[in-house]
Amino acid sequence: MFKNYAMTAIRNLLRYKQYTLINIFGLAVGLAACLLILLYVHFELSYDQWIPENERVMKFETRMYDKGGNFVYNSDRIPPVTAPIFAEQFPEIELYSRFLNESVALALDGKAFEQRLTVADPDVFELMGITLLSGDPATALAAPDAIVLPESDAKRLFGDSPALGQVVKVDGTFPVKVTGVMPDWPAASDLNVGALVPFSSPVVDYQPWVRTSWGSFWGPTYIRLAPGTDLEAFANDVNEFARRVGPADRYQERLDEGVRASYEFHFTKAIDAHLKGEGGDDRSSMVHLWAAGVVAFLILGIAAVNVANLGTMLALKRVREVAIRKALGANARQLVIQLLTEAVALTFVSMIIGVALAELMLPTFGQLMDRDLTSGLIYTPFMLSGLLGGTLVVGCICGLYPALVAARFRPVEYLTGMKPTIGVWFRNSLVVLQFAATIGLLVTCLVVFMQARYARSLDKGFQSEQLVGISGISKPMVLEREKALRESLSRLPGVEEVAASHDMPDENHYTNSSGIRTDTGVEKSLRRVAVSAELLPMMKAQLLAGRLFSVDRAADSEVEKDALASATVVLNEKAVNELGFDRPEDAVGQEIYSPGDVRSTIIGVIANLRTRSARSEPMGTYYWVGPSEFRYVVLKVAPQNMPETLAAIDEAWRGFFPELPIKRQFADDAFAKYYDTDRRQGWLLLFSGGVMVVIAVMGLYALAALSTERRSKEIGIRKVLGARSLNIVQLLLWQFSLPVLVANIIAWPIAWWGLGRWLEGFVDRISLTPLPFLAAGLGVLFIAWITIIGHTLKVARSNPIKALRYE
Amino acid sequence: MLKLHNLSKVYRTDEVETAALNSVNIEIESGEFVAIMGPSGCGKSTLLNIVGMLDTPSSGDYVFMGENVARYSEAKLSNIRKQNIGFIFQSFNLIDELSVEENIELALLYHNIPASERRARVERVMDKVGIAHRAKHMPSQLSGGQQQRVAVARAVVGDQAMILADEPTGNLDSAHGQEVMEMLQALNEEGTTIVMVTHSPAHADYARRTINLFDGHVVTENLRAAV
Ligand SMILES: Nc1ncnc2c1ncn2[C@@H]1O[C@H](COP(=O)(O)OP(=O)(O)O)[C@@H](O)[C@H]1O
Ligand SMILES: [Mg+2]
């Protein structure tokens, strides 16, 4: 019996080859896209899940309060100096490790390699469940000159010879000894970990204050809590303890004045960092993943709609056969089983092709999404059974509707000349929904790309073209010779201007801040940005009042010992507002007091400089001439002979620091990187939108073919009665445009609402206009027309007697 | 009204060539009622389609109202056709999705006639063929005879000078067949030229002249003695 069904099923699928192909291919593409997106979603969800006992592993975080006791922001880290203090005091902290990233150069046999380092604590191995490939975890991070290399770095440096015990020189200054080799850090981790070095390592000397200051933040701190620790109560204990041992200016003095302490520590789950953490260019969010998941199933859904629609049309095509079969005694159940078998067989073939397609596209897709995706997940028993079950379910859904249509249809009606019209309404609604989803997604695509373009073109408050930032200037041995370096660079042909700064567009953000007081008694925490006197004029910062620093006025740049402000400062517009001045002019000439009661005169106010992404609000900032806090040398290069100029810059750097690879990037490139996540989102959308268009259009094509075929008699009659080909083309185009037009009406409001919400996440954003909506709607209509125009013309031109003759 | 001179039609399919009409010479006067008879496959429908300008001859001439239309383009033919010629088919060929009056109106839709006048004309012909009480019905709700009456109404609603009917009674019982024949006769008496293919000698008797076809040739032409 089953064999009979299967044979008939296959015969039928072969008989309507064109439609079978469209069905199989459409469903396969839909499934492949769905699988790829699910692999991506799964990968995002798997972040840090590999950490052992992860329900007890926490990230130590800090809420910051300014001098007025107002909440400023939440930092997802704590001052590194506090970690061992807390760990020693509280038995609840079973294990802890700080993760402080630094980039250095490793020199070996006269060759220099760039190497990412992570300062970590000895507990890191047990805390993160890392088994060393060689070396002893108990002692690997004991000595200050220890380094534990990831496997691939060890290979890069030493090839196949054992790395353990080898000595390499860091930044050309101090040697370290390889004490262990560990597997490469998992890709699915919020932490970006390089080679491990202990907190006692000389690398930390680059920022010595980190060892002592409660005001310095670097990387995150992870801890494992004892089982059963109450998070809130424990956080209270920690804060209570901090009030007692923390520095007076952050705790006791403020408490005495009745102002909140500077810090309030709390915990978040380590596994939540990737999806619930704030900011971070590489992070994702649950909303994003939900959206991706919904899109995945939408794609599968519209592919399934095609199968169901075509199935019904084909069932109607076979109506004569069905009528005769029924007249001969076939019952409804047999028919249903027949059609279901066909649909399941078709879905099964699609599933196999879909999985193959997903495998084929995975590398490209992974690259697009910037993720190391593997297909292993597909072949787990769970997924395989899911796929098989899904095949059955989708197959049944696809087949059920045609089956019911065919089963409900009564042969007498056909034999008395009535044409079944059942399901027309339902079919049309499905087509409308299909196009609504497609249009909605395309609109989203357009708006996301428009916003990304807008964000890139935002007025940054300065001229970013031709600006090159060289980072790594804060390393002590570089900082020492920074002045000489700048002088040497300024003599290179093609280098127009040279300056130094604490802040440049970069993926790594450094934020220093100082509590500032004015004569009027306002107290505010402002961002502190050290610049050389040349920087602001060179960036063409827009002056609102007063003047900029001048190299010729030595008094501008005078800095008292250990002061965090020079004799004169420049404020940005935001800072002027925060300090309570009405107009920029009012601020000029006023004095401000930075920590240690250092007095500085405001000489100028500039428009806010935007060196970060459009998602973050510019901060109230004061600029000072402070060589101790330079992180970048900034160059303005001539647009001509750029490659030669860059090569000369590299050469000059090598002359100064032969064992340090230069790290430089154009400011504009750094800006582009801010929108990587958006770009990724955009690509995902474009990918999904493209797949949807292809599937929907294939469905429309087949539907148009079948339905014009069904209407051929009517078209013949119309032509006999005098309709021209043009009239017929109009008639058919209208028939197929209508669902697309209705789809617009459904898609537009939903997309408008959703995109409005999404745009609210940007401080600077485009306003929604009807343009992308019209573009997507018309685009889809246009594509739909192209798809069916060939068919329509053929039908419109054909001789009507053919259609009437074979009636 | 029309004149066919040495007219031939050859169908070419992949392998076979079928000569459906072979040097046919026929002349039909305005106001005539002509019946075409002959065995199945002898080329009756082909002849009617060419006369009705739904198809073009392979060779020979077709002069319609003084114009040789044999080599006219489809668009031109379509224009002449919709002004002058109405069709009635064996299988009625009504559009299932449209009501009776909409089906009839269809014949005026491509004529640039304002909607109000269209409606008036449709009502007039519906009265004439006695189908007015079924105006809102769908074709599937009508009997064969009623459907064919709708088809007749549709064929004449545009005031066509000539009606071509391909076995109009083929799908009808004798009572309904006779009804349709009487309707055609009445139209002929009002001056409409009628060319009708039929297998029934009784129905052929309504015509003034019978043309017998065999294998694409005109075999005989009988003129019925005036009654
Ligand atoms: N479109 C066509 N293609 C090929 N052969 C055709 C076509 N139309 C008609 N014929 C052939 O031409 C001949 C005449 O057909 P037709 O005019 O329909 O005959 P009748 O109406 O007298 O039964 C037949 O042999 C038929 O098979
Ligand atoms: Mg015939």
Side-chain angles (χ1 to χ4, degrees):
Chain A
M1 195 65 196
F2 175 75
K3 205 175 145 203
N4 184 10
Y5 284 136
M7 284 310 294
T8 322
I10 290 169
R11 219 174 298 135
N12 262 317
L13 293 179
L14 289 180
R15 192 159 131 216
Y16 299 108
K17 253 185 240 114
Q18 188 192 4
Y19 303 111
T20 305
L21 272 181
I22 286 182
N23 269 342
I24 289 186
F25 188 68
L27 205 51
V29 169
L31 183 74
C34 182
L35 277 177
L36 287 176
I37 296 176
L38 288 185
L39 284 178
Y40 168 69
V41 170
H42 176 265
F43 186 82
E44 296 296 298
L45 288 174
S46 72
Y47 264 66
D48 295 323
Q49 296 288 347
W50 48 270
I51 299 177
E53 309 284 335
N54 55 39
E55 76 288 351
R56 291 194 278 135
V57 177
M58 300 290 151
K59 231 173 137 173
F60 225 138
E61 304 199 346
T62 313
R63 289 190 198 99
M64 316 270 222
Y65 297 88
D66 68 8
K67 289 203 152 173
N70 309 303
F71 174 72
V72 189
Y73 66 96
N74 182 65
S75 167
D76 65 348
R77 47 200 65 180
I78 56 172
V81 63
T82 59
I85 302 176
F86 293 146
E88 193 182 339
Q89 174 69 18
F90 295 103
E92 286 93 333
I93 300 179
E94 287 186 344
L95 300 166
Y96 81 96
S97 177
R98 293 162 283 190
F99 295 90
L100 321 177
N101 287 347
E102 180 66 83
S103 167
V104 298
L106 290 187
L108 185 72
D109 302 333
K111 271 179 294 183
F113 299 88
E114 205 174 312
Q115 175 68 51
R116 289 187 306 107
L117 289 189
T118 300
V119 177
D121 293 291
D123 287 348
V124 63
F125 304 113
E126 196 186 340
L127 176 66
M128 305 305 274
I130 291 159
T131 317
L132 287 186
L133 300 174
S134 63
D136 176 9
T139 57
L141 290 178
D145 67 343
I147 185 167
V148 175
L149 289 172
E151 199 180 359
S152 58
D153 286 334
K155 222 180 199 100
R156 184 168 59 112
L157 289 167
F158 305 107
D160 288 329
S161 52
L164 203 66
Q166 298 274 10
V167 173
V168 287
K169 211 162 163 203
V170 175
D171 283 347
T173 36
F174 52 89
V176 292
K177 194 160 109 191
V178 179
T179 51
V181 176
M182 63 179 182
D184 286 343
W185 202 262
S189 175
D190 194 58
L191 288 167
N192 188 10
V193 172
L196 301 178
V197 294
F199 198 67
S200 53
S201 166
V203 174
V204 181
D205 295 344
Y206 291 176
Q207 306 182 55
W209 49 86
V210 166
R211 291 216 164 93
T212 51
S213 163
W214 279 53
S216 291
F217 289 71
W218 194 348
T221 300
Y222 281 46
I223 56 173
R224 189 201 280 175
L225 290 176
T229 308
D230 180 294
L231 282 187
E232 210 149 310
F234 181 51
N236 282 339
D237 291 350
V238 170
N239 285 316
E240 178 65 32
F241 173 69
R243 278 194 273 278
R244 276 190 281 121
V245 302
D249 60 333
R250 301 204 176 267
Y251 286 98
Q252 208 49 55
E253 288 172 13
R254 298 167 56 117
L255 294 173
D256 290 345
E257 287 172 30
V259 180
R260 270 191 111 114
S262 276
Y263 302 147
E264 202 175 88
F265 299 107
H266 65 111
F267 308 97
T268 59
K269 279 192 149 183
I271 49 173
D272 287 343
H274 182 62
L275 293 177
K276 295 187 185 154
E278 292 157 26
D281 291 333
D282 212 39
R283 290 207 172 135
S284 193
S285 70
M286 280 320 280
V287 180
H288 177 182
L289 294 189
W290 269 111
V294 167
V295 166
F297 282 99
L298 264 182
I299 292 181
L300 194 59
I302 66 171
V305 163
N306 273 354
V307 180
N309 267 348
L310 289 185
T312 335
M313 291 298 279
L314 289 177
L316 291 179
K317 213 169 136 80
R318 279 156 58 187
V319 110
R320 198 185 158 75
E321 169 198 332
V322 171
I324 294 168
R325 272 177 194 241
K326 275 192 159 180
L328 290 178
N331 62 26
R333 216 193 63 209
Q334 281 167 328
L335 258 169
V336 170
I337 294 178
Q338 178 64 53
L339 285 163
L340 282 183
T341 317
E342 271 181 44
V344 171
L346 188 138
T347 318
F348 186 75
V349 176
S350 309
M351 191 265 283
I352 304 228
I353 298 178
V355 170
L357 266 180
E359 281 282 4
L360 212 66
M361 298 195 296
L362 189 65
T364 319
F365 181 74
Q367 219 168 25
L368 218 58
M369 303 307 295
D370 207 10
R371 292 281 185 267
D372 247 335
L373 301 178
T374 52
S375 58
L377 178 74
I378 300 181
Y379 308 105
T380 54
F382 175 75
M383 262 306 257
L384 282 181
S385 51
L387 273 175
L388 282 176
T391 301
L392 216 59
V393 171
V394 171
C396 284
I397 293 174
C398 293
L400 197 64
Y401 171 58
L404 288 181
V405 169
R408 272 204 10 227
F409 156 72
R410 307 210 324 268
V412 260
E413 286 169 357
Y414 178 77
L415 299 175
T416 56
M418 204 167 133
K419 287 281 187 66
T421 51
I422 333 165
V424 173
W425 190 85
F426 186 64
R427 194 168 59 233
N428 285 339
S429 330
L430 285 180
V431 173
V432 166
L433 286 182
Q434 215 177 22
F435 276 99
T438 310
I439 292 168
L441 206 65
L442 286 181
V443 174
T444 311
C445 250
L446 285 176
V447 172
V448 168
F449 279 111
M450 281 165 75
Q451 168 66 23
R453 214 187 57 182
Y454 172 77
R456 257 177 317 217
S457 71
L458 261 185
D459 182 14
K460 306 174 180 89
F462 67 94
Q463 274 186 13
S464 57
E465 296 84 14
Q466 294 157 249
L467 284 192
V468 180
I470 302 177
S471 57
I473 303 302
S474 57
K475 292 183 184 185
M477 80 229 192
V478 181
L479 199 57
E480 251 167 39
R481 304 172 65 192
E482 166 268 327
K483 188 110 191 167
L485 173 70
R486 273 197 280 152
E487 249 154 44
S488 149
L489 287 171
S490 68
R491 282 194 298 270
L492 294 177
V495 173
E496 294 178 343
E497 286 170 78
V498 182
S501 174
H502 170 78
D503 182 39
M504 270 295 276
D506 194 347
E507 301 119 277
N508 304 311
H509 294 326
Y510 303 94
T511 311
N512 289 348
S513 29
S514 307
I516 296 294
R517 185 167 55 77
T518 64
D519 281 327
T520 50
V522 178
E523 291 201 15
K524 271 283 166 195
S525 173
L526 291 186
R527 184 170 182 214
R528 175 175 86 238
V529 173
V531 298
S532 73
E534 303 90 348
L535 186 85
L536 294 177
M538 172 175 127
M539 289 174 98
K540 302 249 171 0
Q542 192 192 334
L543 191 65
L544 300 179
R547 60 176 183 88
L548 299 177
F549 299 118
S550 166
V551 190
D552 306 324
R553 300 193 198 204
D556 281 0
S557 322
E558 262 169 36
V559 185
E560 292 170 33
K561 191 175 170 344
D562 292 333
L564 295 175
S566 39
T568 62
V569 294
V570 171
L571 299 189
N572 69 358
E573 210 177 350
K574 188 92 190 269
V576 166
N577 293 335
E578 286 180 358
L579 292 181
F581 298 109
D582 290 334
R583 298 176 309 147
E585 293 79 16
D586 300 340
V588 176
Q590 302 290 326
E591 325 257 72
I592 59 168
Y593 302 87
S594 49
D597 258 340
V598 176
R599 193 178 66 179
S600 316
T601 311
I602 302 170
I603 55 166
V605 176
I606 57 172
N608 299 333
L609 297 186
R610 176 180 292 288
T611 54
R612 296 188 181 173
S613 96
R615 278 204 173 75
S616 49
E617 192 107 35
M619 302 166 91
T621 306
Y622 74 91
Y623 296 86
W624 65 298
V625 183
S628 61
E629 290 195 342
F630 289 163
R631 303 196 69 95
Y632 301 90
V633 164
V634 188
L635 306 166
K636 183 162 198 172
V637 296
Q640 305 84 18
N641 303 330
M642 204 87 95
E644 287 84 354
T645 310
L646 292 178
I649 292 170
D650 294 355
E651 190 52 46
W653 173 275
R654 244 193 315 279
F656 275 81
F657 312 106
E659 291 183 317
L660 276 185
I662 187 169
K663 283 179 74 179
R664 58 164 166 79
Q665 79 175 334
F666 279 95
D668 284 339
D669 292 344
F671 272 114
K673 277 191 195 146
Y674 287 154
Y675 305 108
D676 268 4
T677 313
D678 298 310
R679 203 180 43 97
R680 233 181 359 256
Q681 257 181 25
W683 276 116
L684 184 60
L685 282 167
L686 198 64
F687 167 81
S688 319
V691 170
M692 272 202 194
V693 169
V694 169
I695 294 176
V697 155
M698 279 194 330
L700 184 73
Y701 173 81
L703 214 56
L706 281 168
S707 105
T708 40
E709 191 179 311
R710 246 169 81 70
R711 286 184 77 171
S712 61
K713 179 188 140 192
E714 177 202 331
I715 291 164
I717 296 171
R718 285 177 186 270
K719 289 195 77 174
V720 167
L721 294 177
R724 311 271 303 270
S725 297
L726 185 70
N727 299 124
I728 302 297
V729 170
Q730 280 171 349
L731 183 80
L732 292 177
L733 280 187
W734 175 242
Q735 181 196 344
F736 293 107
S737 305
L738 195 63
V740 179
L741 294 178
V742 176
N744 276 312
I745 296 173
I746 297 178
W748 285 358
I750 300 176
W752 186 281
W753 178 81
L755 287 169
R757 296 280 309 265
W758 180 76
L759 283 172
E760 277 167 21
F762 291 88
V763 178
D764 289 293
R765 54 183 178 247
I766 53 170
S767 48
L768 277 182
T769 63
L771 197 71
F773 294 80
L774 284 174
L778 288 179
V780 168
L781 189 65
F782 184 68
I783 293 173
W785 278 9
I786 291 188
T787 314
I788 57 175
I789 195 77
H791 214 85
T792 305
L793 282 179
K794 201 177 115 209
V795 173
R797 285 220 198 96
S798 71
N799 195 324
I801 49 175
K802 281 200 187 111
L804 302 182
R805 182 186 167 81
Y806 297 112
E807 177 54 32
Chain B
M1 175 120 207
L2 65 88
K3 189 173 165 187
L4 307 182
H5 180 68
N6 271 346
L7 187 131
S8 300
K9 176 73 185 178
V10 181
Y11 288 114
R12 282 189 189 81
T13 50
D14 290 343
E15 303 114 47
V16 247
E17 274 194 11
T18 317
L21 292 175
N22 214 333
S23 289
V24 172
N25 291 294
I26 294 174
E27 200 165 336
I28 294 174
E29 298 296 330
S30 185
E32 259 197 297
F33 191 153
V34 179
I36 297 174
M37 296 190 74
S40 193
C42 71
K44 305 181 295 292
S45 296
T46 307
L47 177 63
L48 216 60
N49 287 338
I50 291 176
V51 168
M53 298 177 209
L54 293 173
D55 211 348
T56 48
S58 310
S59 67
D61 295 316
Y62 173 16
V63 180
F64 183 81
M65 292 169 84
E67 270 182 274
N68 188 346
V69 300
R71 315 271 172 269
Y72 273 20
S73 72
E74 198 210 301
K76 254 180 161 171
L77 289 176
S78 163
N79 243 340
I80 302 178
R81 179 174 69 232
K82 74 180 177 195
Q83 305 295 343
N84 300 293
I85 305 173
F87 290 86
I88 301 171
F89 300 93
Q90 175 178 0
S91 52
F92 323 135
N93 277 335
L94 303 177
I95 296 178
D96 303 322
E97 291 81 10
L98 300 181
S99 70
V100 165
E101 55 181 6
E102 286 164 343
N103 261 293
I104 299 173
E105 194 184 358
L106 207 58
L108 300 175
L109 215 54
Y110 302 105
H111 278 102
N112 273 332
I113 296 174
S116 56
E117 194 194 330
R118 283 209 302 264
R119 200 138 327 121
R121 281 216 213 174
V122 168
E123 248 148 58
R124 226 171 28 239
V125 286
M126 281 198 300
D127 275 340
K128 195 158 153 189
V129 303
I131 201 78
H133 59 297
R134 293 293 172 94
K136 304 280 186 224
H137 287 216
M138 303 306 275
S140 57
Q141 296 167 310
L142 303 181
S143 74
Q146 287 168 326
Q147 289 192 45
Q148 197 60 304
R149 271 196 261 166
V150 177
V152 171
R154 189 178 63 185
V156 299
V157 69
D159 283 338
Q160 277 81 354
M162 177 164 79
I163 286 182
L164 303 179
D166 196 346
E167 301 186 38
T169 56
N171 278 3
L172 301 177
D173 59 37
S174 55
H176 282 123
Q178 187 147 353
E179 228 175 78
V180 168
M181 287 315 299
E182 274 157 17
M183 227 148 45
L184 290 179
Q185 193 173 37
L187 286 170
N188 180 241
E189 277 159 11
E190 287 170 22
T192 311
T193 313
I194 292 178
V195 182
M196 171 185 76
V197 170
T198 181
H199 282 296
S200 149
H203 292 164
D205 279 348
Y206 282 86
R208 251 181 55 75
R209 181 154 65 113
T210 304
I211 298 174
N212 284 301
L213 280 188
F214 186 77
D215 243 2
H217 294 278
V218 177
V219 213
T220 50
E221 291 194 39
N222 311 324
L223 219 62
R224 186 163 58 91
V227 189

